[in-house]
């Protein structure tokens, strides 16, 4: 059996066996609106998240309607997940509601092109960690695991061979307190562009124990970002899904939302810290879809 098969088998075991102890009736809103380039893998990604969510006791709902960004609506979720967003995908009232949600302990997850939206919104740049700059052509590359103790990397080989876009960023996410967990191995692919000061080693995925997008001394949830996830095929790969769900479940364990903390100010109001049964109800809003 090859090392790749072993890794994928381990990833599948993680998906099936570990999740029930990580999250309790958590509810996550996937926001996949785009204003510029649109990835054709977005429907595949949404389907992968929603179909695997019940294994983790997570209910995913999906919207591309910025009107859903109100204090009342966002307060129902234990995390917001920005998926492949590009351009100005929120108006000013929606940004205010987003900021309020983060200030109340809301958690944040961002995947792939989500670092390329709301480019002039400072709190968003801090919450995601860094804004996208450019990427070389899609190609085979090696990603080095910097920290294999994190739930999003513990199943990965030390050198993870992928076909994806190796993102470059406009700043170093470590300057706002992010911890690096994956790094693009620059010797493994071709990039003829000019890097800005994004730090060394090359940032590819990271986390923030306290999301830097909160205002002042407000309560901060966790933040997780991975720049991988370009292709439809990537979202059908067990190892990649284990990486993503490891990041999601880690983020939910911030203890700042109702999935784990009955005193929290945001999160699924139906969540129970003693129950392991996922909620069966779906949203009544026509702008939201759930698994």
């Amino acid at each position: 059996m090859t090392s790749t098969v072993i890794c994928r088998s381990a990833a599948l075991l993680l998906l099936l066996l570990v999740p029930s102890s990580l999250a309790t009736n958590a509810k996550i809103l996937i926001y996949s609106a785009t204003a510029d380039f649109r990835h054709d893998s977005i429907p595949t990604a949404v389907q992968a998240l929603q179909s695997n969510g019940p294994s983790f006791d997570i209910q995913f709902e999906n919207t591309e309607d910025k009107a859903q960004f109100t204090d009342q609506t966002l307060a129902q979720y234990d995390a917001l997940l920005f998926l492949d967003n590009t351009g100005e995908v929120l108006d000013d009232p929606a940004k205010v509601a987003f900021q309020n949600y983060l200030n109340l302990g809301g958690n944040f997850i961002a995947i792939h092109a989500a670092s390329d939206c709301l480019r002039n919104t400072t709190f968003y740049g801090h919450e995601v960690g860094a804004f996208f700059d450019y990427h070389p052509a899609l190609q085979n590359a090696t990603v080095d695991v910097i920290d294999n103790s994190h739930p999003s990397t513990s199943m990965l080989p030390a050198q993870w061979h992928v076909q994806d876009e190796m993102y470059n960023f406009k700043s170093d996410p470590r300057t706002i307190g992010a911890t690096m967990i994956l790094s693009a191995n620059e010797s493994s692919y071709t990039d003829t562009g000019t890097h800005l000061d994004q730090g060394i080693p090359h940032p590819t995925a990271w986390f923030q124990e306290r999301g830097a997008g909160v205002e002042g001394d407000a309560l901060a949830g966790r933040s997780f970002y991975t720049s991988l996830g370009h292709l439809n095929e990537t979202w059908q790969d067990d190892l990649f899904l284990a990486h993503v769900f490891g990041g999601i479940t880690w983020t939910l364990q911030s203890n700042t939302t109702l999935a784990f903390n009955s005193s929290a100010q945001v999160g699924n109001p139906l969540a129970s810290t003693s129950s392991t049964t996922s909620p069966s109800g779906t949203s009544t809003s026509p702008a939201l879809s759930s698994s």
Side-chain angles (χ1 to χ4, degrees):
M1 181 179 291
T2 67
S3 60
T4 300
V5 172
I6 293 172
C7 288
R8 289 186 176 181
S9 298
L12 186 58
L13 285 174
L14 177 79
L15 283 168
L16 296 177
L17 300 179
V18 174
S20 61
S21 65
L22 295 179
T24 305
N25 293 339
K27 192 173 178 181
I28 295 177
L29 179 63
I30 303 169
Y31 188 55
S32 52
T34 56
D36 292 335
F37 179 83
R38 185 170 179 86
H39 285 74
D40 63 9
S41 59
I42 288 175
T44 305
V46 171
Q47 192 278 331
L49 291 166
Q50 290 186 333
S51 63
N52 285 287
S55 297
F56 295 83
D57 292 323
I58 301 172
Q59 179 185 9
F60 286 100
E61 293 180 343
N62 174 227
T63 188
E64 298 200 350
D65 181 8
K66 61 178 176 290
Q68 295 299 317
F69 277 66
T70 66
D71 291 343
Q72 182 177 9
T73 299
L74 297 186
Q76 303 173 51
Y77 297 98
D78 296 282
L80 302 182
L81 190 156
F82 272 47
L83 174 65
D84 281 340
N85 316 85
T86 56
E88 197 67 10
V89 292
L90 294 178
D91 57 19
D92 288 342
K95 291 177 187 178
V96 170
F98 188 5
Q99 178 75 84
N100 291 341
Y101 172 79
L102 295 177
N103 291 345
L104 293 173
N107 298 301
F108 180 70
I109 300 137
I111 299 177
H112 196 49
S115 58
D116 193 27
C117 73
L118 305 179
R119 302 171 190 122
N120 297 314
T121 303
T122 301
F123 86 83
Y124 181 79
H126 288 168
E127 187 67 19
V128 73
F131 285 117
F132 167 81
D133 183 21
Y134 77 94
H135 66 77
L138 176 72
Q139 58 192 295
N140 293 323
T142 299
V143 174
D144 295 328
V145 175
I146 304 302
D147 179 357
N148 66 3
S149 66
H150 193 268
S152 68
T153 58
S154 61
M155 77 296 295
L156 300 178
Q159 292 190 314
W160 185 16
H161 303 296
V162 301
Q163 184 181 34
D164 215 314
E165 295 172 335
M166 296 295 102
Y167 275 17
N168 294 287
F169 298 92
K170 294 181 177 179
S171 62
D172 183 351
R174 285 157 284 218
T175 62
I176 52 89
T179 300
M180 206 61 48
I181 50 179
L182 293 180
S183 173
N185 186 324
E186 295 178 352
S187 68
S188 69
Y189 62 95
T190 301
D191 182 357
T192 59
T194 301
H195 296 185
L196 295 175
D197 185 11
Q198 60 182 350
I200 299 173
H202 184 131
T204 296
W206 57 79
F207 68 86
Q208 299 177 52
E209 183 66 42
R210 298 183 73 257
V214 300
E215 293 180 309
D217 295 327
L219 178 67
R222 288 177 168 180
S223 172
F224 172 82
Y225 173 72
T226 181
S227 63
L228 303 176
H230 178 73
L231 295 170
N232 281 284
E233 292 81 359
T234 303
W235 285 96
Q236 297 163 345
D237 181 78
D238 290 337
L239 192 55
F240 175 75
L241 289 175
H243 165 60
V244 168
F245 273 95
I248 291 170
T249 53
W250 173 86
T251 305
L252 289 170
Q253 293 179 78
S254 65
N255 203 39
T256 59
T257 66
L258 287 167
F260 288 98
N261 183 347
S262 61
S263 299
Q265 300 180 75
V266 294
N268 181 10
L270 300 180
S272 167
T273 56
S274 61
S275 172
T276 58
T277 302
S278 296
S280 59
T282 59
S283 171
T284 59
S285 169
L288 300 174
S289 63
S290 63
S291 57

